[in-house]
Amino acid sequence: MPALPSPRLLMGIFAKAENFGRIADTPFGIGYQLQGLAVAVSFFGHHVYFGYQQAVLVLANESQVSFAEADHPANRDLLDKIYAIDHQYSQ
């Protein structure tokens, strides 16, 4: 499995979803959706959620990155989607 993305990369993905995606009702609350990737901030702002195909990556306290379920079968697809969006919108 690829390494987990850095918090900086994840915040960039959030910004890309906000700028190029659409407002959406995600499983984590109102957020954004871009190419099937759902992103949202928790109610108190302590967590940022990234979801794709029922896999969830959580950025907590601006520096801790972890999967909601470490052995979810779609975790790799979620990482692939994050890196693909980063690559596509960085050009």
Side-chain angles (χ1 to χ4, degrees):
M1 179 164 300
L4 292 178
S6 70
R8 182 179 181 144
L9 184 137
L10 290 174
M11 291 310 297
I13 294 297
F14 186 91
K16 289 169 180 144
E18 182 179 34
N19 288 321
F20 301 107
R22 63 178 178 82
I23 295 173
D25 187 10
T26 75
F28 326 106
I30 299 297
Y32 302 95
Q33 190 167 31
L34 178 63
Q35 297 180 8
L37 178 72
V39 298
V41 177
S42 68
F43 182 75
F44 291 108
H46 298 289
H47 298 87
V48 182
Y49 300 99
F50 301 83
Y52 183 71
Q53 298 178 353
Q54 282 74 47
V56 178
L57 190 65
V58 181
L59 172 60
N61 301 320
E62 300 178 10
S63 64
Q64 299 170 345
V65 178
S66 62
F67 285 109
E69 294 179 47
D71 56 352
H72 193 285
N75 284 349
R76 185 182 233 340
D77 295 333
L78 171 57
L79 292 179
D80 290 345
K81 178 57 75 174
I82 287 170
Y83 289 120
I85 289 173
D86 182 55
H87 179 72
Q88 180 180 354
Y89 289 92
S90 293
Q91 297 180 359

